[in-house]
Amino acid sequence: ALKKAQEYMTLYPKGKHVMKTVGIAGASALALDKKDQAISYFSTIIQKDPESEYFGTALFVRASEAERKRDFAAASQDYTKLLSM
């Protein structure tokens, strides 16, 4: 799924479903244990599409990874946004 999502985003960077595809790419990268790549996709969702069905997941994954890296300030920001949803 990750490769197909990347192909879609390359072919249709302004396509109607590009943000949903970014979410799918993030979830796929996470499932493949490609955390940095997943964080990149999820950060795009957080910045550009707060109405996305992946927004909560994006916040949680990014916060968890920040916490794992001991970046507690960044983790706190994302957890706070998540809890305010």
Side-chain angles (χ1 to χ4, degrees), residues 25-36:
S28 297
L30 188 62
L32 295 170
D33 203 31
K34 296 181 176 186
K35 291 181 182 170
D36 289 338

Side-chain angles (χ1 to χ4, degrees), residues 1-13 17-18 20-26 28-29 32 34 37 41:
L2 180 57
K3 187 172 182 170
K4 289 292 184 186
Q6 290 169 330
E7 288 175 13
Y8 178 88
M9 291 183 292
T10 299
L11 291 172
Y12 309 103
H17 303 289
V18 74
K20 182 171 182 123
T21 306
V22 171
I24 292 168
S28 297
L32 295 170
K34 296 181 176 186
Q37 195 172 15
Y41 289 127

Side-chain angles (χ1 to χ4, degrees), residues 4-80:
K4 289 292 184 186
Q6 290 169 330
E7 288 175 13
Y8 178 88
M9 291 183 292
T10 299
L11 291 172
Y12 309 103
K14 296 183 186 229
K16 180 179 178 182
H17 303 289
V18 74
M19 292 311 294
K20 182 171 182 123
T21 306
V22 171
I24 292 168
S28 297
L30 188 62
L32 295 170
D33 203 31
K34 296 181 176 186
K35 291 181 182 170
D36 289 338
Q37 195 172 15
I39 296 301
S40 176
Y41 289 127
F42 286 141
S43 291
T44 299
I45 294 286
I46 292 167
Q47 293 169 359
K48 295 184 177 181
D49 193 9
E51 300 300 316
S52 170
E53 64 188 273
Y54 292 97
F55 188 74
T57 299
L59 285 170
F60 181 77
V61 169
R62 195 169 79 169
S64 297
E65 188 61 13
E67 186 177 5
R68 188 186 71 75
K69 291 180 177 179
R70 300 181 129 359
D71 185 353
F72 299 117
S76 176
Q77 284 182 320
D78 284 345
Y79 283 136
T80 300

